[in-house]
Amino acid sequence: MTDEPRTIAARIGDDLPRIDVIELANTRRIMHAERHNDGSRMPMFIPTAAWAKLLELHCTSDGTPERPRLAPSRVMDGLERALGRIMTEVARHDATDDEPLRPAYVVTSDLFGADGPVDIRMVVDRMTGVACMLAGPPADIAALGLDDASQG
């Protein structure tokens, strides 16, 4: 399996919640989940609490061969690749069925811990109109109050 970029045309539905992504980032409730985006894909974010869990899981281990201790930059690289693959599969599935992206998905992944679900939210920034992907453990996504924020 290669990590070559794949372009999949995905339609953005009118039902994606319009939220203030910039405000969530400026108040450090979410953070970019990527270091490199040439504009060919949606910006990806995770809740800051999810990043703290990833650092705890991968950067504070005992450093054994079974659980090596990683630098935060390696964790970010892995996160970016993993979320890129998830986004590709979500977009491919919906594009195959000629459906627009839905506001919410749940995938099974060990990304944030032992085979837990990962909530994926597709949103549009209220000010810029840019579609974004938010991903994280269900409790961390719920804590962002996205459902309440999209109402106002």
Side-chain angles (χ1 to χ4, degrees):
M1 175 180 208
T2 66
D3 283 328
E4 291 181 29
R6 294 173 292 240
T7 302
I8 298 171
R11 290 190 296 133
I12 305 300
D14 292 334
D15 60 342
L16 295 187
R18 306 265 193 245
I19 66 168
D20 194 342
V21 174
I22 295 171
E23 189 269 335
L24 287 172
N26 284 341
T27 57
R28 297 184 179 170
R29 296 182 63 209
I30 63 172
M31 60 176 278
H32 269 105
E34 59 193 343
R35 293 192 307 172
H36 313 287
N37 188 338
D38 62 5
S40 64
R41 69 173 181 222
M42 281 185 194
M44 299 183 297
F45 296 89
I46 63 171
T48 303
W51 176 246
K53 288 176 190 170
L54 285 174
L55 292 179
E56 182 180 331
L57 186 65
H58 298 292
C59 299
T60 62
S61 67
D62 52 11
T64 63
E66 297 82 32
R67 289 192 39 142
R69 185 177 297 156
L70 301 176
S73 61
R74 296 239 358 244
V75 175
M76 179 58 80
D77 288 341
L79 174 64
E80 184 174 9
R81 284 192 309 276
L83 289 179
R85 285 192 298 270
I86 289 170
M87 182 70 239
T88 298
E89 291 306 313
V90 164
R92 177 180 290 132
H93 177 270
D94 287 350
T96 300
D97 294 335
D98 196 30
E99 296 288 329
L101 292 174
R102 296 185 310 253
Y105 299 85
V106 176
V107 298
T108 301
S109 172
D110 62 355
L111 181 59
F112 295 103
D115 293 324
V118 175
D119 276 2
I120 307 293
R121 299 295 179 98
M122 302 298 174
V123 299
V124 174
D125 181 63
R126 189 178 292 146
M127 299 301 291
T128 65
V130 173
C132 303
M133 177 181 125
L134 295 171
D140 294 347
I141 294 292
L144 296 175
L146 300 178
D147 297 327
D148 297 333
S150 66
Q151 306 300 320

